[in-house]
Each structure stands twice: as structure tokens, then as C-alpha cells.
Amino acid sequence: MSLSISTIGSGARKSTLRQSSLMQAGFVIVGLVLLAALLAPLIAPYDPNAQQMNIRLAAPSASHWLGTDGFGRDILSRIIYGTRTTLLLVGLVALLMAPLGVTIGMTAGYFGGFVERVLMAITDIVLSFPRLVLAFAFVAVLGPGLINGALALAFTSWPAYARQARAETRAIRHSDYLAAAEMGGIRGLRLLFGHVMPMIMPSAIVRLALDLGGMILAAAGLGFLGLGVKPPTAEWGSMVAEGTQVIFDQWWVAAIPGGAVLLTALGFNLLADGLRDWLDPRHG
């Protein structure tokens, strides 16, 4: 019995250590990306939009560590400045998507009845469309741009938060905690945002953290299809699209920004897994 308990304890410690190491790796990757975005003017060796046609498609060298693109622009500088575009787009999506979804779901779960049926019907309609296809169509109608891309991704991503918030709100709707608050005269919006929302926010934060990696890939997808920010602004997805034209001869033009997308999404996913284990005890 003691051997069995010791074995289980050792396995748990190894699992915790592994989770902690992965979370630390994610924290380092995300920290480096954030640092690059903040210090881009200081650490980028060249102007990201400066064209030098005499050195176009140059291979990585001492003067251009990651080579140059089809317009002779330094790829390293564009990768560094591209972190700003990607993080700004993802940040705008997160600020729009999560509050909208949580508010709709919380309202539906608290009031129930006709309000719940209408709000959940709208949620199901949006959820029934393929997310990326709807986002691409939305941007195609509004036109490419940072704000339009953020609106498109936010508009197609909020239903999952609404359904989760609605389920959690219904679970606590008749709890003693809320009953005591109502007896104290707290009702309406004050009850919703002051007492219900704090109880459902941890799970919403966990979901948001887990979605960040997917948002980065979706943002890169918009840029790849020419529906993201307008050129010549540095953006990883559009850089990959430009590099696919010469991928067999100058592979680094597409591979390097593609690697930046992959590494950043991986970092956010690793960090989100650790955050989920920390905030949600059911996954501990």
C-alpha cells in the first residue's frame, strides 16, 4: 500500500513539474513576443518598409540575419514589427468577443423565459455558420483593415462564451448567495455585473486564454488571403502569402514568418494550459 501511494505521489509530482515547465516555456515565448512588440523601434535593425530592390530575395547573411523579401525589405525587421500588428488584432478581438459573449449569456441565463429563447436563438444562428468562412465574408464586405478584421473575428467567436456563461448563470441563479444579495436590495444590472459576473469570469478567462492561439492563426489567415491589414504594414500572414510565390527557391521568405506564427500560437497555448490548471480546479 505504501509503495502504491508513493508511486501515485511521484507520478503526480512529475505531472505537476511537467505542467509547470510547459507553462514556463509558454511564458517565456509570450514574454519575448510582447517584448519585441514594445521595443520594436529599438531592436529592429532596419525600417520594415524600406525597399532595396538591388538586394531583393537575398539569403540570410551577416547584414540581414533572416534575409530579405521580394521588395528587398529586411525580414527580421518585418517579423519584429509584425508582432505589433498581430498582438493588436488579437487584443482587439479579445476585448470585443469575451465581454459580448459573457454579457449575452449571463443575461439569458439570469432572466430566462422569452429573453433567453431570443438570445440563445441568435447565438445558435451565429454558431451554425463556419467561423472562418463567416469572418472572411464579413471582412470581404467591410473591406480589409485592422479594425474590420478584429470585428469579423469577434463577431464570429462570441457564441461559445455566451453558451458557457448562460449555463453557469443558470446553475447559480437560485443560489443562496444571490438570494441573500436580492434580500439586501441588490437587483437588476447591479446584481448581474456585481455578483453574477465575478462568479463566471474565471472560466471565461480560461476559455479566452485557450482561444488566443487560435485567434493568432485566424488573424494570420486573414492576412494570408489579403483580408487583414493593408500593405505595406508588416503582418505575418501577408508575409507568408508573399513568400509562397518563391517558396521553392527562396524558402525562408515564407518559412520564417510561418515559424513566427507557429511559435507564438504554441506559446499562448502552453501558457493557457497552465492558466487553466491554475484557475480551474477541475483540470488540476
PDB file of all heavy atoms in Angstrom, residues 45-61:
ATOM      1  N   PRO A  45      16.657  46.089 -36.804  1.00  0.00           N
ATOM      2  CA  PRO A  45      17.872  46.651 -37.421  1.00  0.00           C
ATOM      3  C   PRO A  45      17.595  47.600 -38.591  1.00  0.00           C
ATOM      4  O   PRO A  45      18.430  48.445 -38.908  1.00  0.00           O
ATOM      5  CB  PRO A  45      18.623  45.406 -37.896  1.00  0.00           C
ATOM      6  CG  PRO A  45      17.579  44.361 -38.053  1.00  0.00           C
ATOM      7  CD  PRO A  45      16.543  44.641 -37.013  1.00  0.00           C
ATOM      8  N   TYR A  46      16.421  47.482 -39.228  1.00  0.00           N
ATOM      9  CA  TYR A  46      16.113  48.320 -40.390  1.00  0.00           C
ATOM     10  C   TYR A  46      14.674  48.808 -40.317  1.00  0.00           C
ATOM     11  O   TYR A  46      13.862  48.295 -39.523  1.00  0.00           O
ATOM     12  CB  TYR A  46      16.310  47.534 -41.704  1.00  0.00           C
ATOM     13  CG  TYR A  46      17.708  47.052 -41.949  1.00  0.00           C
ATOM     14  CD1 TYR A  46      18.104  45.766 -41.565  1.00  0.00           C
ATOM     15  CD2 TYR A  46      18.655  47.871 -42.565  1.00  0.00           C
ATOM     16  CE1 TYR A  46      19.394  45.309 -41.798  1.00  0.00           C
ATOM     17  CE2 TYR A  46      19.949  47.427 -42.801  1.00  0.00           C
ATOM     18  CZ  TYR A  46      20.312  46.150 -42.414  1.00  0.00           C
ATOM     19  OH  TYR A  46      21.594  45.703 -42.649  1.00  0.00           O
ATOM     20  N   ASP A  47      14.381  49.783 -41.144  1.00  0.00           N
ATOM     21  CA  ASP A  47      12.990  50.213 -41.336  1.00  0.00           C
ATOM     22  C   ASP A  47      12.245  49.064 -42.011  1.00  0.00           C
ATOM     23  O   ASP A  47      12.663  48.587 -43.073  1.00  0.00           O
ATOM     24  CB  ASP A  47      12.967  51.462 -42.222  1.00  0.00           C
ATOM     25  CG  ASP A  47      11.561  51.999 -42.444  1.00  0.00           C
ATOM     26  OD1 ASP A  47      10.582  51.265 -42.197  1.00  0.00           O
ATOM     27  OD2 ASP A  47      11.438  53.157 -42.881  1.00  0.00           O
ATOM     28  N   PRO A  48      11.129  48.593 -41.440  1.00  0.00           N
ATOM     29  CA  PRO A  48      10.457  47.412 -42.012  1.00  0.00           C
ATOM     30  C   PRO A  48       9.866  47.651 -43.399  1.00  0.00           C
ATOM     31  O   PRO A  48       9.598  46.690 -44.128  1.00  0.00           O
ATOM     32  CB  PRO A  48       9.363  47.111 -40.988  1.00  0.00           C
ATOM     33  CG  PRO A  48       9.106  48.420 -40.323  1.00  0.00           C
ATOM     34  CD  PRO A  48      10.441  49.095 -40.248  1.00  0.00           C
ATOM     35  N   ASN A  49       9.672  48.915 -43.773  1.00  0.00           N
ATOM     36  CA  ASN A  49       9.062  49.211 -45.068  1.00  0.00           C
ATOM     37  C   ASN A  49      10.058  49.740 -46.093  1.00  0.00           C
ATOM     38  O   ASN A  49       9.669  50.070 -47.217  1.00  0.00           O
ATOM     39  CB  ASN A  49       7.928  50.222 -44.893  1.00  0.00           C
ATOM     40  CG  ASN A  49       6.817  49.684 -43.995  1.00  0.00           C
ATOM     41  OD1 ASN A  49       6.497  48.503 -44.036  1.00  0.00           O
ATOM     42  ND2 ASN A  49       6.235  50.555 -43.185  1.00  0.00           N
ATOM     43  N   ALA A  50      11.332  49.826 -45.711  1.00  0.00           N
ATOM     44  CA  ALA A  50      12.352  50.360 -46.625  1.00  0.00           C
ATOM     45  C   ALA A  50      12.683  49.323 -47.697  1.00  0.00           C
ATOM     46  O   ALA A  50      13.081  48.190 -47.392  1.00  0.00           O
ATOM     47  CB  ALA A  50      13.606  50.725 -45.846  1.00  0.00           C
ATOM     48  N   GLN A  51      12.507  49.702 -48.959  1.00  0.00           N
ATOM     49  CA  GLN A  51      12.743  48.794 -50.073  1.00  0.00           C
ATOM     50  C   GLN A  51      14.140  49.016 -50.676  1.00  0.00           C
ATOM     51  O   GLN A  51      14.561  50.157 -50.866  1.00  0.00           O
ATOM     52  CB  GLN A  51      11.682  48.994 -51.154  1.00  0.00           C
ATOM     53  CG  GLN A  51      10.264  48.735 -50.672  1.00  0.00           C
ATOM     54  CD  GLN A  51       9.242  48.895 -51.781  1.00  0.00           C
ATOM     55  OE1 GLN A  51       9.592  48.944 -52.961  1.00  0.00           O
ATOM     56  NE2 GLN A  51       7.975  48.957 -51.416  1.00  0.00           N
ATOM     57  N   GLN A  52      14.809  47.895 -50.944  1.00  0.00           N
ATOM     58  CA  GLN A  52      16.105  47.929 -51.617  1.00  0.00           C
ATOM     59  C   GLN A  52      16.093  46.847 -52.690  1.00  0.00           C
ATOM     60  O   GLN A  52      16.447  45.696 -52.437  1.00  0.00           O
ATOM     61  CB  GLN A  52      17.243  47.672 -50.619  1.00  0.00           C
ATOM     62  CG  GLN A  52      17.298  48.665 -49.466  1.00  0.00           C
ATOM     63  CD  GLN A  52      18.441  48.374 -48.517  1.00  0.00           C
ATOM     64  OE1 GLN A  52      19.616  48.487 -48.880  1.00  0.00           O
ATOM     65  NE2 GLN A  52      18.122  47.980 -47.299  1.00  0.00           N
ATOM     66  N   MET A  53      15.670  47.222 -53.882  1.00  0.00           N
ATOM     67  CA  MET A  53      15.465  46.240 -54.935  1.00  0.00           C
ATOM     68  C   MET A  53      16.761  45.562 -55.382  1.00  0.00           C
ATOM     69  O   MET A  53      16.723  44.474 -55.962  1.00  0.00           O
ATOM     70  CB  MET A  53      14.796  46.909 -56.136  1.00  0.00           C
ATOM     71  CG  MET A  53      13.418  47.482 -55.829  1.00  0.00           C
ATOM     72  SD  MET A  53      12.269  46.231 -55.187  1.00  0.00           S
ATOM     73  CE  MET A  53      12.052  45.193 -56.616  1.00  0.00           C
ATOM     74  N   ASN A  54      17.900  46.176 -55.103  1.00  0.00           N
ATOM     75  CA  ASN A  54      19.169  45.564 -55.511  1.00  0.00           C
ATOM     76  C   ASN A  54      19.532  44.344 -54.660  1.00  0.00           C
ATOM     77  O   ASN A  54      20.415  43.569 -55.028  1.00  0.00           O
ATOM     78  CB  ASN A  54      20.298  46.598 -55.453  1.00  0.00           C
ATOM     79  CG  ASN A  54      20.470  47.188 -54.062  1.00  0.00           C
ATOM     80  OD1 ASN A  54      19.484  47.528 -53.413  1.00  0.00           O
ATOM     81  ND2 ASN A  54      21.705  47.301 -53.606  1.00  0.00           N
ATOM     82  N   ILE A  55      18.865  44.177 -53.513  1.00  0.00           N
ATOM     83  CA  ILE A  55      19.146  43.014 -52.660  1.00  0.00           C
ATOM     84  C   ILE A  55      17.874  42.197 -52.419  1.00  0.00           C
ATOM     85  O   ILE A  55      17.748  41.520 -51.394  1.00  0.00           O
ATOM     86  CB  ILE A  55      19.776  43.432 -51.316  1.00  0.00           C
ATOM     87  CG1 ILE A  55      18.873  44.418 -50.575  1.00  0.00           C
ATOM     88  CG2 ILE A  55      21.158  44.015 -51.513  1.00  0.00           C
ATOM     89  CD1 ILE A  55      19.308  44.674 -49.141  1.00  0.00           C
ATOM     90  N   ARG A  56      16.922  42.274 -53.323  1.00  0.00           N
ATOM     91  CA  ARG A  56      15.677  41.532 -53.144  1.00  0.00           C
ATOM     92  C   ARG A  56      15.930  40.030 -53.120  1.00  0.00           C
ATOM     93  O   ARG A  56      16.785  39.516 -53.836  1.00  0.00           O
ATOM     94  CB  ARG A  56      14.667  41.877 -54.242  1.00  0.00           C
ATOM     95  CG  ARG A  56      15.101  41.499 -55.649  1.00  0.00           C
ATOM     96  CD  ARG A  56      14.104  41.984 -56.696  1.00  0.00           C
ATOM     97  NE  ARG A  56      12.797  41.419 -56.486  1.00  0.00           N
ATOM     98  CZ  ARG A  56      12.384  40.272 -57.027  1.00  0.00           C
ATOM     99  NH1 ARG A  56      13.216  39.576 -57.804  1.00  0.00           N
ATOM    100  NH2 ARG A  56      11.181  39.824 -56.803  1.00  0.00           N
ATOM    101  N   LEU A  57      15.198  39.335 -52.236  1.00  0.00           N
ATOM    102  CA  LEU A  57      15.293  37.882 -52.078  1.00  0.00           C
ATOM    103  C   LEU A  57      16.705  37.429 -51.724  1.00  0.00           C
ATOM    104  O   LEU A  57      17.141  36.349 -52.124  1.00  0.00           O
ATOM    105  CB  LEU A  57      14.810  37.172 -53.345  1.00  0.00           C
ATOM    106  CG  LEU A  57      13.348  37.442 -53.755  1.00  0.00           C
ATOM    107  CD1 LEU A  57      13.035  36.761 -55.075  1.00  0.00           C
ATOM    108  CD2 LEU A  57      12.395  36.977 -52.667  1.00  0.00           C
ATOM    109  N   ALA A  58      17.407  38.262 -50.957  1.00  0.00           N
ATOM    110  CA  ALA A  58      18.754  37.883 -50.513  1.00  0.00           C
ATOM    111  C   ALA A  58      18.668  36.823 -49.420  1.00  0.00           C
ATOM    112  O   ALA A  58      17.767  36.849 -48.577  1.00  0.00           O
ATOM    113  CB  ALA A  58      19.496  39.112 -49.992  1.00  0.00           C
ATOM    114  N   ALA A  59      19.591  35.886 -49.442  1.00  0.00           N
ATOM    115  CA  ALA A  59      19.632  34.828 -48.432  1.00  0.00           C
ATOM    116  C   ALA A  59      20.081  35.395 -47.089  1.00  0.00           C
ATOM    117  O   ALA A  59      20.694  36.465 -47.029  1.00  0.00           O
ATOM    118  CB  ALA A  59      20.577  33.721 -48.889  1.00  0.00           C
ATOM    119  N   PRO A  60      19.767  34.702 -45.992  1.00  0.00           N
ATOM    120  CA  PRO A  60      20.232  35.155 -44.676  1.00  0.00           C
ATOM    121  C   PRO A  60      21.745  35.358 -44.665  1.00  0.00           C
ATOM    122  O   PRO A  60      22.506  34.537 -45.179  1.00  0.00           O
ATOM    123  CB  PRO A  60      19.815  34.009 -43.742  1.00  0.00           C
ATOM    124  CG  PRO A  60      18.619  33.403 -44.414  1.00  0.00           C
ATOM    125  CD  PRO A  60      18.902  33.513 -45.893  1.00  0.00           C
ATOM    126  N   SER A  61      22.169  36.487 -44.079  1.00  0.00           N
ATOM    127  CA  SER A  61      23.595  36.829 -44.057  1.00  0.00           C
ATOM    128  C   SER A  61      23.873  37.658 -42.811  1.00  0.00           C
ATOM    129  O   SER A  61      22.990  37.908 -41.992  1.00  0.00           O
ATOM    130  CB  SER A  61      23.971  37.617 -45.314  1.00  0.00           C
ATOM    131  OG  SER A  61      23.255  38.845 -45.366  1.00  0.00           O
TER     132      SER A  61
END
